[in-house]
Amino acid sequence: FTNLRTTFDCNLLKKLRKLILAAGIENIDFKNKYTAIKMHFGEPGNLAFLRPNYAKVVADLVKELGGKPFLTDCNTLYVGGRKNALDHLNSAMENGFSPLSTGCQILIGDGLKGTDETLVPIDGDYVKEAKIGTAVMDADVFISLTHFKGHEQAGMGGALKNIGMGCGSRAGKMEQHNSGKPFVKQKKCIGCRACARICAHGAPQFGADGKATIDTDKCVGCARCLAVCPKDAIQCLYDEAPAILNKKIAEYTKAVVDGRPCFHVSLVVDVSPNCDCHAENDVPIVPDVGMFASFDPVALDQACAGAVLAQTPAPNSALFDEGCDCSSGDYFHAAHPDTDWAVCLEHAEKIGIGTRAYELIKI
């Protein structure tokens, strides 16, 4: 851990480099290894995402160590600025991410339409075969660079959320958010039958008005119909219970990190109550804390959460909204009472990703 205090000869970027070196990143063999740096490029309109300058520190160090880094994220399930690779890259560039600003290229992990995925067997309690963006799984080394914040569905958006949900293809995200079956918004459907042409299982059905419905008995949840619908009429129902969602996130994280060198960095700055997927960001709920790094993403999330909960709530933030109760000291739960962020960490520890116990070494 390092705080955010600087000196004339040591700015935040130098501190980040010093931190990740002290945490042992040099112990990884990067020589000629493709290295995925997973981060969130920010939904256009949101200003809480991590600046590309931070990504450049990580990418430059990977190159110094002989690696071949690239920044990556997977397409979103919801309709927005990052639902396909072209929009996603445009959004990243709008937010300042380019080879010049980051020192490496950007690859969208699950391809043009969010359907380029690798099936990873994990035999979890809830997920038997995770659907992960192929570029993510093709990398030899995996690094997560996380903006630590609140989250309206998971409660907390830390390293596990960045990895598990973020590396899922569109079908993988749908599997985590619900039972894996889409539905059609009838008012938007124009009856073009693009969904029927892409579906290998005959799930789209058409009524007398020509509009589509999805036969959930035939649907396998591949999400390809979501990708091809020209009117965004086919969508996912976000109906999974928060506890189950968090456990699925943990199991998807295991699919990503198992079997290869991994390293994790989290910046606890601009701790917004909601995800960077929003096209806006609210006032941070606590003051900026600092930067953390670890080989263990579970310990990292636990340390970051502890650091946030040790802060004094920020005035004029969502924690002071009418009806928000911070008396328990759990600001994430106070901001989103239906969530329980600890479930994700508990399940991640149970399935062997890491441990919630940690020792905080200050740099």
Side-chain angles (χ1 to χ4, degrees), residues 225-243:
C225 57
L226 279 82
V228 301
C229 180
K231 296 297 182 180
D232 295 318
I234 305 177
Q235 298 183 15
C236 163
L237 185 63
Y238 293 79
D239 63 349
E240 192 60 277

Side-chain angles (χ1 to χ4, degrees), residues 142-186:
F142 179 84
I143 297 174
S144 67
L145 178 57
T146 301
H147 170 219
F148 192 87
K149 57 200 170 295
H151 194 277
E152 60 279 9
Q153 292 174 308
M156 183 182 79
L160 297 176
K161 175 68 170 57
N162 182 29
I163 300 167
M165 184 63 73
C167 291
S169 66
R170 294 192 86 187
K173 288 181 172 66
M174 184 162 64
E175 179 177 33
Q176 292 175 77
H177 278 296
N178 77 346
S179 60
K181 305 297 173 70
F183 70 99
V184 181
K185 284 196 169 183
Q186 296 295 304

Side-chain angles (χ1 to χ4, degrees), residues 105-285:
Q105 297 291 340
I106 299 171
L107 297 178
I108 302 305
D110 57 346
L112 179 62
K113 297 179 179 179
T115 56
D116 188 0
E117 62 193 17
T118 297
L119 303 179
V120 183
I122 58 170
D123 195 27
D125 293 346
Y126 300 91
V127 178
K128 302 305 178 184
E129 193 175 55
K131 305 170 182 68
I132 308 297
T134 295
V136 173
M137 293 308 300
D138 278 350
D140 303 303
V141 180
F142 179 84
I143 297 174
S144 67
L145 178 57
T146 301
H147 170 219
F148 192 87
K149 57 200 170 295
H151 194 277
E152 60 279 9
Q153 292 174 308
M156 183 182 79
L160 297 176
K161 175 68 170 57
N162 182 29
I163 300 167
M165 184 63 73
C167 291
S169 66
R170 294 192 86 187
K173 288 181 172 66
M174 184 162 64
E175 179 177 33
Q176 292 175 77
H177 278 296
N178 77 346
S179 60
K181 305 297 173 70
F183 70 99
V184 181
K185 284 196 169 183
Q186 296 295 304
K187 289 184 178 180
K188 289 189 173 184
C189 180
I190 58 174
C192 67
R193 299 191 175 231
C195 54
R197 290 191 292 274
I198 198 68
C199 183
H201 306 280
Q205 306 293 311
F206 300 88
D209 59 358
K211 294 180 179 291
T213 57
I214 303 296
D215 184 339
T216 55
D217 291 332
K218 294 181 178 180
C219 176
V220 298
C222 71
R224 282 167 172 74
C225 57
L226 279 82
V228 301
C229 180
K231 296 297 182 180
D232 295 318
I234 305 177
Q235 298 183 15
C236 163
L237 185 63
Y238 293 79
D239 63 349
E240 192 60 277
I244 304 303
L245 169 65
N246 269 320
K247 291 180 180 181
K248 288 181 176 180
I249 288 172
E251 293 183 2
Y252 260 71
T253 300
K254 185 176 178 65
V256 174
V257 302
D258 267 5
R260 60 178 164 178
C262 295
F263 189 80
H264 310 283
V265 183
S266 288
L267 275 62
V268 186
V269 297
D270 296 321
V271 186
S272 51
N274 295 320
C275 183
D276 293 344
C277 291
H278 282 240
E280 83 292 327
N281 58 283
D282 201 4
V283 172
I285 58 176

Side-chain angles (χ1 to χ4, degrees), residues 260-336:
R260 60 178 164 178
C262 295
F263 189 80
H264 310 283
V265 183
S266 288
L267 275 62
V268 186
V269 297
D270 296 321
V271 186
S272 51
N274 295 320
C275 183
D276 293 344
C277 291
H278 282 240
E280 83 292 327
N281 58 283
D282 201 4
V283 172
I285 58 176
V286 297
D288 290 349
V289 176
M291 302 183 281
F292 298 73
S294 177
F295 285 99
D296 185 335
V298 183
L300 183 67
D301 272 358
Q302 187 68 59
C304 290
V308 168
L309 301 186
Q311 303 300 306
T312 301
N316 303 314
S317 71
L319 296 181
F320 288 87
D321 286 351
E322 184 177 354
C324 187
D325 181 10
C326 293
S327 60
S328 69
D330 187 339
Y331 306 147
F332 299 119
H333 183 70
H336 303 291

Side-chain angles (χ1 to χ4, degrees), residues 25-94:
I25 196 171
E26 289 179 293
N27 292 322
I28 296 175
D29 177 14
F30 285 101
K31 190 65 175 179
N32 295 321
K33 303 289 179 61
Y34 293 111
T35 302
I37 303 172
K38 167 63 180 75
M39 68 178 305
H40 196 304
F41 303 120
E43 190 71 16
N46 187 299
L47 297 177
F49 61 89
L50 294 183
R51 291 175 176 87
N53 312 65
Y54 293 119
K56 190 174 190 301
V57 172
V58 181
D60 284 350
L61 185 52
V62 169
K63 288 189 292 185
E64 286 179 32
L65 297 173
K68 299 177 180 294
F70 63 95
L71 301 185
T72 192
D73 195 6
C74 289
N75 292 306
T76 59
L77 183 57
Y78 65 87
V79 176
R82 299 175 301 117
K83 66 174 183 175
N84 60 67
L86 298 183
D87 289 348
H88 206 151
L89 289 170
N90 285 339
S91 295
M93 291 180 189
E94 181 179 334

